[in-house]
Amino acid sequence: MIDVALPHTRPTTSPHVAEFITRVLERLKPLTAEPEIHNHVHEENTQETDERTQAVKLLKTVLKWLMTSAGRTFTTPVQQQLQLLPLLFKIAPVEIDESYDEMKQDARTCLSLMSQGLLYPEHIPLVLAALEEMAGSRSWHARFSVLTYLQIMVFYNLFTLLSVPAEVLRIRKLVMQLLLDEQLEVRDMACTTLSGLLQCQFFPLDSSLQTQLQTLSQTSLPKARGELASTDLVRRHAGVLGLSACILSSPYDVPDWMPQILMDLSSHLNDPQPIEMTVKKTLSEFRRTHHDNWQEHRQCFTDDQLLVLTDLLVSPCYYA
């Protein structure tokens, strides 16, 4: 009864996952145009709302099926099951709040289980295509969930992904895209994701990445308020978050590049929010993780850098 192709066996005659999902997606069309899917019923009793109600009921059933099959998700037809990912991203909440119901819980569970699926190299482009599509979603909750999904997927398939350098660059581009997201929560999660990928050496902290982050962090902020100023603030904050991710990726040592990046971050301590808070959090975390071996770590800094760093970590503005 499981649609899995095994060696030296006859193919399954019925049921077929691909055919099943095709029929399901056809009946879920009323939900595909919604930026976020909520478990509620409209009061108006029209044909359109009736179709949506039926689609929500079907989706709840499909989520239960996915939870039972997610452990073998990527041994069954991948391309068809990936078509359900956009719907899951639209349902799963970022935080558990008063609207957290059974459908959201099931969607969150499905995403977690599917992200843990072991991928074959030929499956990677399909998964990344689905993530790239959702990274352009109108819902920032969906864009946020792309990053949490990506973190788990990379760590469960680290060596498989590293065997395909082109896809590693693709993931790097996706993370950098979301680091520039207009929503603060998405940018913060992109920073966390970038830090984790750098820490496990998924891709190197090379000169091109450092230059890209430093260029973003040096974006000038015009005094005039408006859309342009807001865009420039996002770009500058993205650069600072990227530099912060570099610092946080090495919690117990001081690589050659770290002293200069700390100096670069220090120049943003008086920037407008949320940049100032990002710098303070990063300096606080650096102090916490490097405190025990500070006598050894301080040898990596010049006298001038130590003077600046000491002033930053004990100055009144640091505790403000």
Side-chain angles (χ1 to χ4, degrees):
M1 294 300 292
I2 301 177
D3 185 13
V4 179
L6 298 175
H8 311 298
T9 60
R10 296 180 63 183
T12 303
T13 57
S14 177
H16 291 294
V17 173
E19 296 175 0
F20 169 72
I21 292 181
T22 300
R23 294 198 303 269
V24 166
L25 287 172
E26 183 66 27
R27 296 176 59 183
L28 292 178
K29 277 187 177 180
L31 302 177
T32 55
E34 299 183 12
E36 292 187 19
I37 300 174
H38 300 283
N39 183 17
H40 64 269
V41 179
H42 297 285
E43 294 181 0
E44 298 85 357
N45 188 18
T46 64
Q47 180 179 358
E48 182 179 350
T49 56
D50 184 61
E51 289 178 353
R52 185 194 179 281
T53 301
Q54 295 301 319
V56 169
K57 291 180 179 179
L58 175 61
L59 183 57
K60 292 179 181 179
T61 303
V62 172
L63 290 174
K64 297 297 185 183
W65 169 74
L66 274 178
M67 285 193 293
T68 62
S69 63
R72 57 178 183 274
T73 295
F74 294 110
T75 59
T76 55
V78 177
Q79 191 168 6
Q80 288 75 23
Q81 293 211 18
L82 285 177
Q83 296 179 55
L84 293 171
L85 268 182
L87 292 175
L88 297 179
F89 283 125
K90 292 179 181 181
I91 305 170
V94 173
E95 298 177 349
I96 298 177
D97 53 23
E98 64 274 2
S99 65
Y100 189 72
D101 54 23
E102 183 181 5
M103 187 173 74
K104 290 185 177 182
Q105 180 179 359
D106 290 348
R108 194 178 185 127
T109 301
C110 288
L111 280 176
S112 177
L113 292 173
M114 292 178 71
S115 63
Q116 297 173 39
L118 299 180
L119 301 175
Y120 294 111
E122 59 269 23
H123 295 159
I124 296 174
L126 301 175
V127 178
L128 291 183
L131 295 180
E132 288 168 346
E133 178 185 354
M134 290 313 302
S137 170
R138 290 179 293 166
S139 167
W140 73 265
H141 292 86
R143 301 195 301 272
F144 184 100
S145 297
V146 165
L147 289 163
T148 57
Y149 186 99
L150 184 66
Q151 290 175 19
I152 302 173
M153 185 197 76
V154 168
F155 296 139
Y156 269 82
N157 297 275
L158 184 63
F159 298 108
T160 303
L161 288 165
L162 287 174
S163 68
V164 192
E167 305 305 333
V168 174
L169 292 176
R170 199 171 168 185
I171 292 174
R172 172 172 160 173
K173 181 179 179 181
L174 178 60
V175 174
M176 291 302 297
Q177 172 189 335
L178 293 172
L179 193 65
L180 286 159
D181 195 271
E182 61 183 12
Q183 189 72 28
L184 174 60
E185 290 84 353
V186 178
R187 296 200 301 274
D188 283 339
M189 180 53 66
C191 172
T192 302
T193 304
L194 178 60
S195 175
L197 296 179
L198 289 173
Q199 187 169 1
C200 70
Q201 299 181 352
F202 183 67
F203 47 74
L205 181 56
D206 52 24
S207 58
S208 64
L209 180 57
Q210 290 185 48
T211 301
Q212 182 180 6
L213 295 174
Q214 288 169 346
T215 301
L216 287 172
S217 69
Q218 294 168 4
T219 302
S220 59
L221 297 177
K223 296 181 180 180
R225 296 182 179 181
E227 183 178 351
L228 178 61
S230 176
T231 301
D232 290 336
L233 180 62
V234 168
R235 290 180 58 82
R236 190 177 178 96
H237 187 220
V240 171
L241 282 170
L243 296 177
S244 173
C246 298
I247 299 298
L248 299 178
S249 68
S250 298
Y252 303 113
D253 61 345
V254 180
D256 295 338
W257 46 260
M258 183 176 285
Q260 184 55 49
I261 289 184
L262 280 170
M263 296 301 103
D264 293 339
L265 277 177
S266 68
S267 64
H268 295 281
L269 194 56
N270 295 318
D271 279 8
Q273 298 292 3
I275 298 177
E276 179 186 355
M277 184 56 64
T278 297
V279 175
K280 287 183 177 180
K281 286 182 178 180
T282 304
L283 292 175
S284 175
E285 186 65 13
F286 170 80
R287 182 180 185 178
R288 184 187 68 83
T289 56
H290 291 77
H291 175 74
D292 291 343
N293 295 317
W294 180 239
Q295 294 304 317
E296 175 186 347
H297 294 325
R298 65 180 297 150
Q299 305 301 321
C300 302
F301 296 84
T302 65
D303 291 341
D304 290 342
Q305 289 172 339
L306 278 175
L307 186 63
V308 173
L309 196 59
T310 302
D311 182 60
L312 284 174
L313 297 181
V314 300
S315 64
C317 65
Y318 172 75
Y319 296 99

